[in-house]
Amino acid sequence: MDEEYNKKGYERAVLRQALAEKDRQKLPHTVRTPSEEGRVLEVPLLAWHGEPLEVEHFLEEGWSLAGRDAHLDFVPQPLGERGEIGLDGGRVRIARLERLDQAGRLFGSHVGWTLDSLALWLDRHIPHPDLPQEETLPFIYRALGELLGRGFTLEDLVAEKRQLRNLLEAKIRGHREAAQKEAFQRLLKDTPPNLGTITLRLEGDYFPPNPYRGAYDFQKHFFPVIADLQDGTEEFQCARLLDGLEEVEFWVRNYPTWRHAFRLPYPGGNFFPDFLARLRDGTLLVLEYKGKHLAHTPETYEKEAVGQLWAQKTGNLFLMVRTLDGLNAIYQAVRR
C-alpha cells in the first residue's frame, strides 16, 4: 500500500511540474511549491571577467615547466621472445638468440633519427594547447638528456618513441594538475580583483534522472520533485533536517546534470554541493555532506576551501558537514 501511494505521489509531482505556468496557477496555494508560484531562486556564482569561474581560469595567466621534474620511468620493451624453435631427434628444441633487439634496430624504421628530430616528433604528438613550444621543447630535451645519462642509447629511445610520448604526456599532465593546485592556493590566499560574481537563476527544467520516491512528505523543496534522494540515507537525514527548520524558507537538492546546477570549481574539476537553502532572512546556505570515508580527504578540504571563498565573496553561508555527528552544525549556521 505504501509503495503504491508513494508511486502515485511521485507521478502527481511529475505531472504538476510538466504543467504549463497558467495551469500551475490553478493549483491550491496550500499545495504549490515555490517554483509553481512562479518564484525564482537567484544564487551568485563565482565569476572571472564576467564569466562563470572554471578550472581552466586557474592557469589563465600561464604556467611553466621550467624547474619541474623531467624524470621518466622508462623501460624499453623487448621486440619479442628471443629464440628459435626446431626439432632435434624428434624432440622440440628451443635455442635462444642473443641480441635480437639490437640486430633488428640496425634495420628498423628508426634509422636516421637524431635527438632533435625525436624531440620535435614528441612535441608534435603531445597535446599542450596551454603551453608554447618554448616551454615544452626544453622540458622534452631535459627528459631525453636524463635518459641518455642513465645509459640508454638514442636507438633505444627512438625505438620506444611511443612509450616516451605516453610517459611525457602523463608527466606534463601531472605538472599541469600541480600547477592548478598551486594557482588555486594563491586564489584562496590572495583573492584577485578580477574574481567577481554573476547571478544564476534556478528555475524550470528540473527533471532529475533519479527522483525521490520515498515515503517522507517534504514540505519546503523548491520544485515538486526532488533529485537523487533515498529514504534512510545520510543525505536524506540532511534534507529532512533542512525541511524542518523554521529558519529555512525553501531548499533545493542540487544535481550535476541539471542545466542550472550550482557549481564551484576546484583543482579536481567542478564541485556540485548537495543542497541549496534560502533562509527567511534572505541568506543562502550551501550545504555539502561527506560521509566518514570521504570526510578528511585532500579533495574534501579543497571543496570546503572554495565553498568558504564563495561565502566570503557573496556574504552567504557555506557548510561542509562531516558525518551525521556534524548535523548540529546546520542548526548553529542558520541560528547564528
Side-chain angles (χ1 to χ4, degrees), residues 68-142:
R68 297 187 186 270
D69 173 41
H71 174 82
L72 301 178
D73 294 323
F74 175 70
V75 179
Q77 300 298 313
L79 295 180
E81 184 68 30
R82 295 184 178 90
E84 63 178 15
I85 301 176
L87 293 176
D88 183 8
R91 300 180 64 183
V92 175
R93 178 180 61 84
I94 301 177
R96 296 185 61 82
L97 298 178
E98 299 299 332
R99 305 183 65 80
L100 177 61
D101 288 353
Q102 290 87 340
R105 286 172 182 171
L106 290 175
F107 307 100
S109 60
H110 55 277
V111 173
W113 285 71
T114 65
L115 185 64
D116 290 340
S117 61
L118 176 59
L120 287 169
W121 184 91
L122 290 167
D123 186 70
R124 287 196 305 270
H125 288 82
I126 296 172
H128 51 85
D130 55 341
L131 287 170
Q133 193 178 62
E134 291 78 8
E135 281 284 341
T136 53
L137 262 183
F139 182 79
I140 292 171
Y141 274 114
R142 280 200 289 127

Side-chain angles (χ1 to χ4, degrees), residues 17 29 31 62 67 75 88 159 175 179 192-193 197 211 216 241 247 286 307 320 322:
Q17 188 152 302
H29 285 280
V31 299
V75 179
D88 183 8
H175 287 322
T197 61
Y216 190 77
L241 190 154
E247 293 83 357
V286 173
M320 177 74 74
R322 292 176 170 84

Side-chain angles (χ1 to χ4, degrees), residues 178-191:
Q180 286 175 338
K181 289 179 180 290
E182 294 162 7
F184 179 69
Q185 292 302 321
R186 291 194 298 271
L187 179 71
L188 298 176
K189 185 178 179 180
D190 186 17
T191 304

Side-chain angles (χ1 to χ4, degrees), residues 254-284:
N254 198 36
Y255 69 98
T257 57
W258 182 24
R259 184 164 66 94
H260 301 293
F262 175 77
R263 64 191 185 277
L264 293 169
Y266 76 109
N270 276 324
F271 155 47
F272 299 87
D274 293 320
F275 303 101
L276 313 174
R278 180 184 174 90
L279 307 185
R280 295 193 183 277
D281 65 3
T283 304
L284 293 170

Side-chain angles (χ1 to χ4, degrees), residues 219-235:
Q219 298 295 308
K220 294 182 180 180
H221 195 256
F222 190 74
F223 297 101
V225 295
I226 303 173
D228 194 23
L229 205 62
Q230 296 181 5
D231 283 352
T233 62
E234 295 173 331
E235 287 82 1

